[in-house]
């Protein structure tokens, strides 16, 4: 996107001063993110929303407006919650032929991490997402729109994956036979959480649904949680999705796209740190079934992400941004390696959860 074009768009928002620069920023897989600096020195994050992934931008922005307004009344400092910058003409997003844009105030003196560099960061991300769960516990979930229906419905993700294998539009299926077999062998797991929810054994809550470590900003000096970001996927869901997705990303000391699989495993010390942080903030609210299923959710969210990456590889990389050949396949392989490792460690994970689910921990 040409720089002048981005500056013109940024200047449609009520910035302090005029936009002076706009540069690509961050490592997200979905939206285009830009750092905008105004001549006043104030910094902003401007994003072009990926409306192929999020066709209902209006519903998505309504969700974000409602959730950020709600959270802003609960936090003690404005920086502890994402804040949208309104358009000069009113409204919170701009639309033109190049897409949909929104602007957030930049969270200053804070960091996001692509992988766990210091174990304490993972603990604090658990605190952040546990608190997020807690703060939204009295938000009326039924008023939120389901921005991506069945987002974490593993059963429906599995059906999409099988369709991608059948269609095999890129002719890649034969070269990933081992990965396909790995996925198919775990079919019995894909309905477990969905069925528990259907039977009323797991409550519907307001959830973030994309609780990667890089979706929480931590204080640059203290590492303490500052703000949960990337609220595009906030919608009604299961608390297990948020816990499981965090463990998927952060309990693995290697990167999500690491090629050397010997570096990829579920580090139980990291698992314990996150569990401790998460449960310290929301254990009072979780039911016995939710707590019992936490270890399984880590495996299931990892498996689900693995089949999503594999399906995208088979479909020609149309969903997740890729930066090299076979990028989605590499990502799938890390997820499946993690699933295997988690399967071996399920009992130990359950012991850890049990220890931290009791008050006083
Ligand atoms: P994506 O959906 O593509 O992952 P994100 O909303 O997570 O996009 O943003 C990408 C990156 O931009 C984040 O990881 C973070 O580093 C940075 N970022 C996003 N919002 C803010 C903000 N309000 N202040 C500072 N940095 C931000
Ligand atoms: C995407 O937007 P980002 O990069 O935080 C994806 C998540 C995946 C994740 C895998 C809307 O998250 O569901 O778990 O990549 N977001 C969407 O890294 O599909
Ligand atoms: Mg993100």
């Amino acid at each position: 996107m040409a720089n002048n074009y981005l500056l013109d768009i940024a200047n449609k928002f009520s910035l302090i001063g005029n936009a002076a620069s706009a540069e690509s920023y961050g490592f997200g897989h979905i939206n285009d993110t830009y750092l905008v600096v105004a001549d006043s020195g104030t910094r902003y994050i401007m994003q072009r929303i990926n409306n192929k992934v999020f066709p209902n931008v209006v519903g998505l922005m309504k969700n974000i407006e409602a959730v950020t307004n709600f959270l802003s009344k609960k936090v003690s400092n404005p920086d502890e919650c994402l804040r949208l910058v309104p358009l000069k003409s009113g409204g919170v997003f701009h639309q033109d032929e190049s897409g949909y844009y929104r602007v957030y105030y930049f969270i200053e003196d804070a960091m996001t991490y692509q992988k766990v560099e210091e174990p304490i960061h993972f603990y604090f991300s658990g605190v952040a997402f546990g608190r997020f769960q807690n703060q939204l516990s009295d938000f009326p979930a039924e008023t939120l729109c389901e921005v991506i229906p069945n987002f974490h419905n593993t059963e429906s993700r599995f059906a999409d994956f099988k369709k991608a294998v059948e269609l095999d539009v890129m002719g890649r299926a034969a070269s990933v036979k081992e990965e396909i077999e790995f996925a198919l062998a775990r079919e019995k797991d894909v309905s477990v959480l969905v069925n528990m929810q259907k039977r009323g054994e797991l409550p519907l809550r307001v959830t973030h649904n994309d609780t990667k470590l890089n979706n929480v900003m931590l204080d640059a000096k203290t590492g303490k949680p500052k703000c949960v970001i990337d609220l595009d996927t906030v919608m009604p869901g299961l608390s297990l999705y948020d816990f499981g997705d965090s463990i998927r990303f952060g309990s693995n000391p290697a990167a999500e796209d690491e090629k050397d699989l010997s570096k990829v495993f579920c580090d139980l010390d990291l698992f314990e740190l996150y569990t401790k942080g998460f449960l310290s903030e929301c254990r009072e609210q979780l039911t016995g079934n939710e707590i019992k299923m936490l270890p399984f959710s880590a495996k299931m969210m990892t498996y689900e992400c693995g089949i999503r990456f594999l399906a995208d590889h088979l479909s020609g990389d149309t969903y997740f941004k890729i930066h090299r050949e076979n990028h989605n396949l590499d990502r799938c392989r890390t997820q499946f390696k993690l699933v295997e490792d988690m399967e071996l460690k399920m009992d130990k994970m359950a012991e850890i959860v049990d220890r931290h689910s009791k008050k006083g921990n």
Side-chain angles (χ1 to χ4, degrees), residues 28 30-31 45 47 82 105-107 112 214-215 217 229-230:
I30 305 292
N31 296 314
I45 285 288
Q47 291 179 313
L82 270 183
Y105 286 96
F106 194 92
I107 313 279
T112 49
N214 64 11
N215 283 334
M217 305 214 57
I229 60 168
D230 204 346

Side-chain angles (χ1 to χ4, degrees), residues 304-351:
E304 181 189 282
C305 200
I307 60 172
R308 288 176 67 197
F309 286 142
L310 186 53
D312 203 32
H313 176 72
L314 291 167
S315 310
D317 309 298
T318 59
Y319 188 93
F320 296 105
K321 287 185 194 168
I322 57 162
H323 307 291
R324 60 177 191 242
E325 209 184 325
N326 292 336
H327 206 166
N328 276 317
L329 178 59
D330 292 340
R331 290 171 177 149
C332 155
R333 287 180 171 151
T334 61
Q335 302 307 290
F336 286 177
K337 169 75 195 291
L338 266 176
V339 168
E340 246 176 349
D341 195 42
M342 286 175 181
E343 283 171 348
L344 297 173
K345 293 175 176 165
M346 231 4 100
D347 291 346
K348 292 205 171 95
M349 288 158 83
E351 263 171 47

Side-chain angles (χ1 to χ4, degrees), residues 146-162 186-198 202 204 207 209 233 235-238 240-242 245 296-297 300-308 311:
E146 206 183 341
V147 268
I148 303 182
N150 294 322
F151 190 62
H152 280 310
N153 180 327
T154 314
E155 204 173 63
S156 105
R157 294 290 187 185
F158 184 74
D160 294 346
F161 158 72
K162 280 213 304 203
R186 285 155 182 81
E187 179 171 5
K188 67 168 183 10
D189 289 337
V190 304
S191 312
V192 171
L193 297 180
V194 184
N195 285 342
M196 285 183 80
Q197 188 192 340
K198 277 190 198 147
L202 292 171
L204 204 63
T207 47
N209 296 305
T233 49
M235 56 188 147
L238 301 181
L240 295 166
Y241 300 157
D242 282 2
D245 195 48
F296 179 79
S297 78
M300 225 1 51
M301 288 299 100
T302 310
Y303 169 86
E304 181 189 282
C305 200
I307 60 172
R308 288 176 67 197

Side-chain angles (χ1 to χ4, degrees), residues 25-295:
Y25 193 80
F27 300 91
H29 294 345
I30 305 292
N31 296 314
D32 294 333
T33 300
Y34 304 95
L35 169 67
V36 170
V37 186
D39 51 14
S40 60
T42 314
R43 305 205 290 171
Y44 301 90
I45 285 288
M46 181 163 86
Q47 291 179 313
R48 186 162 73 107
I49 304 163
N50 183 331
N51 70 313
K52 214 170 109 198
V53 167
F54 299 109
N56 183 3
V57 174
V58 174
L60 174 150
M61 290 305 293
K62 272 195 186 146
N63 279 0
I64 295 184
E65 240 188 315
V67 165
T68 54
N69 282 339
F70 186 88
L71 287 175
S72 68
K73 294 185 191 105
K74 296 216 169 181
V75 297
S76 39
N77 182 320
D79 249 16
E80 287 170 17
C81 163
L82 270 183
R83 280 183 300 151
L84 285 162
V85 179
L87 279 169
K88 287 173 182 161
S89 59
V92 287
F93 67 91
H94 166 74
Q95 182 196 359
D96 64 22
E97 59 290 349
S98 68
Y100 294 82
Y101 296 81
R102 66 168 170 233
V103 173
Y104 288 117
Y105 286 96
F106 194 92
I107 313 279
E108 296 289 354
D109 307 315
M111 303 280 289
T112 49
Y113 297 92
Q114 300 315 309
K115 61 189 182 87
V116 176
E117 285 170 18
E118 298 288 339
I120 192 81
H121 294 159
F122 197 40
Y123 166 75
F124 281 132
S125 78
V127 171
F129 286 118
R131 192 173 290 163
F132 186 82
Q133 178 80 240
N134 196 8
Q135 286 170 332
L136 288 169
S137 60
D138 54 342
F139 184 97
E142 67 287 353
T143 60
L144 290 176
C145 96
E146 206 183 341
V147 268
I148 303 182
N150 294 322
F151 190 62
H152 280 310
N153 180 327
T154 314
E155 204 173 63
S156 105
R157 294 290 187 185
F158 184 74
D160 294 346
F161 158 72
K162 280 213 304 203
K163 189 168 257 160
V165 176
E166 269 158 43
L167 292 175
D168 192 21
V169 290
M170 304 299 288
R172 290 174 172 172
S175 61
V176 293
K177 248 179 110 196
E178 214 179 301
E179 286 77 12
I180 293 173
E181 271 161 23
F182 183 94
L184 294 177
R186 285 155 182 81
E187 179 171 5
K188 67 168 183 10
D189 289 337
V190 304
S191 312
V192 171
L193 297 180
V194 184
N195 285 342
M196 285 183 80
Q197 188 192 340
K198 277 190 198 147
R199 290 194 298 262
E201 293 166 9
L202 292 171
L204 204 63
R205 300 184 183 278
V206 177
T207 47
H208 182 283
N209 296 305
D210 188 6
T211 52
K212 297 200 289 197
L213 179 68
N214 64 11
N215 283 334
V216 56
M217 305 214 57
L218 301 178
D219 187 291
K221 286 196 198 84
T222 63
K224 287 188 180 170
K226 216 155 176 181
C227 181
V228 167
I229 60 168
D230 204 346
L231 303 179
D232 294 330
T233 49
V234 170
M235 56 188 147
L238 301 181
S239 58
L240 295 166
Y241 300 157
D242 282 2
F243 179 86
D245 195 48
S246 281
I247 299 299
R248 169 190 85 72
F249 191 83
S251 73
N252 163 26
E256 192 183 58
D257 59 358
E258 175 59 57
K259 281 182 167 198
D260 178 355
L261 293 180
S262 69
K263 294 183 180 157
V264 176
F265 63 100
C266 172
D267 181 325
L268 286 176
D269 292 335
L270 291 176
F271 176 84
E272 176 151 13
L273 280 173
Y274 186 92
T275 305
K276 182 177 172 191
F278 185 81
L279 287 177
S280 70
E281 292 286 325
C282 68
R283 77 161 76 80
E284 312 283 289
Q285 280 166 33
L286 299 188
T287 65
N289 276 339
E290 285 175 296
I291 290 178
K292 188 178 87 189
M293 297 311 283
L294 289 173

